[in-house]
């Protein structure tokens, strides 16, 4: 990936900057603009305020999130913080404002009923509240309400509803920085999905490459929605996390193209980072003439159609090799794997 891509800022960094500005204004009557913060690894970015208001015993500041060149669902979202004085000795109390979700299922790094503000952003905000209090003579006892404009609508494009985070987005970030195309939020959602499934006591989860394979896996096994992992291209993320946090059974479901990559040993199934190797697919059959026809096919789906016409179960062969790859990555973890291969219409064309 090009090093010319711009880095961005997490919702946690934006919430911290907004909280810092609002608490400063609550104590001094003036908003610092731009407002500077210190990130967990020592970087010191500054943020321009998009909105500010002061009065009635509270202060509000908001920042437009810049995700850089990452295709982040929250890019350009308005992240706000309202700060008001709390009870003596209460410390920093967090509330979910409009557009921020609330945790409703166990298994996440926050208790049920808490605002979906992750541990690292909470720590960052507490540290910055303490700094502002020390500088301007405050107690540091505050109620911080974090909001994201249109957050409830944006959350429908994320895993939050399935994870039991209702009413809006999560405030995320461990470094404060968004690395373009790192897909860290997606991979974190996969991990949280496994955590929630384990906390629910589920013994069977499914990692699916897309919505069609997800419907097939759910129908085949009668799985509830929160046992379905939106694996996408990140087969490796699912398998490596299950290796450390096992669930007794895993179904991997996907199209013939992506699962032929897994069969070949690729753990990232994105078209830009791994390719279907028809030579490898051809090596799965014993018939030299059929192997030649597979090599000459344009796509994995074309290879499947060639084999179907010849009565050769290419889908089963791909599924078996994909299962072998998964078992290798799991390294003996107590997870039984089955693989379901489908075509574009959602018809099962192979299993192992």
């Amino acid at each position: 990936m090009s090093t010319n891509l711009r880095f961005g800022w997490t919702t946690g960094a934006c919430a911290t900057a907004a909280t810092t500005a609002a608490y400063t204004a609550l104590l001094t009557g003036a908003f610092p603009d731009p407002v500077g913060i210190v990130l967990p690894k020592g970087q010191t970015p500054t943020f321009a305020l998009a909105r500010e208001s002061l009065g009635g015993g509270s202060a509000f500041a908001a920042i437009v999130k810049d995700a850089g060149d990452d295709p982040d669902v929250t890019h350009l979202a308005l992240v706000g913080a309202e700060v008001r004085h709390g009870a003596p000795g209460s410390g920093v109390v967090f509330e979910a404002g409009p557009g921020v979700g609330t945790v409703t299922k166990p298994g996440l790094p926050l208790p049920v009923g808490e605002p979906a503000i992750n541990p690292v952003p909470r720590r960052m905000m507490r540290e910055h509240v303490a700094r502002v209090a020390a500088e301007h003579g405050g107690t540091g006892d505050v109620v911080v309400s974090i909001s994201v404009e249109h957050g409830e609508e944006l959350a429908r494009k994320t895993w939050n509803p399935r994870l039991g985070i209702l009413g809006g987005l999560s405030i995320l970030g461990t470094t404060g920085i968004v690395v373009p195309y790192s897909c860290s939020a997606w991979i974190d959602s996969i991990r949280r999905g496994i955590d929630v499934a384990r906390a629910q006591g589920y013994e069977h989860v499914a990692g699916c490459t897309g919505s069609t394979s997800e419907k097939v896996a759910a129908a085949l096994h009668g799985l509830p929605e929160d046992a379905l992992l939106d694996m996408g291209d990140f087969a490796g993320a699912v398998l490596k996390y299950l290796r450390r946090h096992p669930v007794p059974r895993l179904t991997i479901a996907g199209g013939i193209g992506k699962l032929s990559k897994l069969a070949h040993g690729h753990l990232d199934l994105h078209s830009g980072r791994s390719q279907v190797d028809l030579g490898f697919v051809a090596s799965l059959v014993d018939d030299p003439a059929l192997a030649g026809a597979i090599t000459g096919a344009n796509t994995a789906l074309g290879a499947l159609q060639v084999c179907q016409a010849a009565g050769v179960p290419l889908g089963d062969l791909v599924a078996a090799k994909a299962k072998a790859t998964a078992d290798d990555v799991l390294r003996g973890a107590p997870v039984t794997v089955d693989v379901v291969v489908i075509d574009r219409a959602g018809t099962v064309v192979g299993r192992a």
Side-chain angles (χ1 to χ4, degrees), residues 144-163:
V144 178
S145 177
I146 302 299
S147 59
V148 181
E149 193 169 71
H150 307 302
E152 189 164 6
E153 178 184 338
L154 291 172
R156 297 191 191 106
K157 302 175 184 178
T158 74
W159 263 42
N160 277 15
R162 183 172 295 180
L163 294 174

Side-chain angles (χ1 to χ4, degrees), residues 5 13 15 17 68 80 82 85 89 109 115 123 130 156 167 174 218 229 254 260 263 270 297 347:
L5 292 174
E82 181 193 53
H85 293 296
R123 188 181 78 221
R156 297 191 191 106
T174 54
L229 308 173
S260 74
H270 191 276
T347 302

Side-chain angles (χ1 to χ4, degrees), residues 107-263:
L108 296 168
L110 299 164
V112 170
E114 278 291 309
I117 302 169
N118 273 17
V120 172
R122 287 177 183 238
R123 188 181 78 221
M124 289 168 61
M125 283 183 262
R126 286 191 178 103
E127 289 172 351
H128 283 77
V129 164
R131 287 176 186 162
V132 172
E135 186 173 347
H136 299 293
T139 64
D141 298 319
V142 292
V143 178
V144 178
S145 177
I146 302 299
S147 59
V148 181
E149 193 169 71
H150 307 302
E152 189 164 6
E153 178 184 338
L154 291 172
R156 297 191 191 106
K157 302 175 184 178
T158 74
W159 263 42
N160 277 15
R162 183 172 295 180
L163 294 174
I165 297 169
L166 302 184
L169 291 162
S170 303
I171 303 301
L172 301 172
T174 54
T175 64
I177 295 174
V178 175
V179 178
Y181 292 91
S182 67
C183 301
S184 58
W186 193 326
I187 290 171
D188 183 67
S189 291
I190 288 172
R191 294 169 178 166
R192 299 294 78 79
I194 292 170
D195 291 342
V196 167
R198 282 165 51 89
Q200 299 284 95
Y202 295 150
E203 297 195 345
H204 189 176
V205 296
C208 306
T209 59
S211 58
T212 302
S213 57
E214 188 174 89
K215 289 174 185 173
V216 170
L220 279 174
H221 300 295
L223 295 173
E225 186 182 53
D226 46 2
L228 302 173
L229 308 173
D230 187 11
M231 178 177 76
D233 295 316
F234 302 107
V238 170
L239 293 165
K240 290 172 186 175
Y241 199 71
L242 283 173
R243 186 170 70 208
R244 302 191 302 275
H245 308 277
V247 172
R249 185 172 178 192
L250 167 68
T251 295
I252 296 173
I256 184 79
K258 287 190 185 294
L259 292 193
S260 74
K261 297 181 190 181
L262 182 61

Side-chain angles (χ1 to χ4, degrees), residues 81-105:
E82 181 193 53
V83 180
R84 61 186 189 273
H85 293 296
S90 63
V92 180
V93 176
F94 294 100
E95 291 182 347
V100 172
T102 298
V103 176
T104 67
K105 289 183 181 178

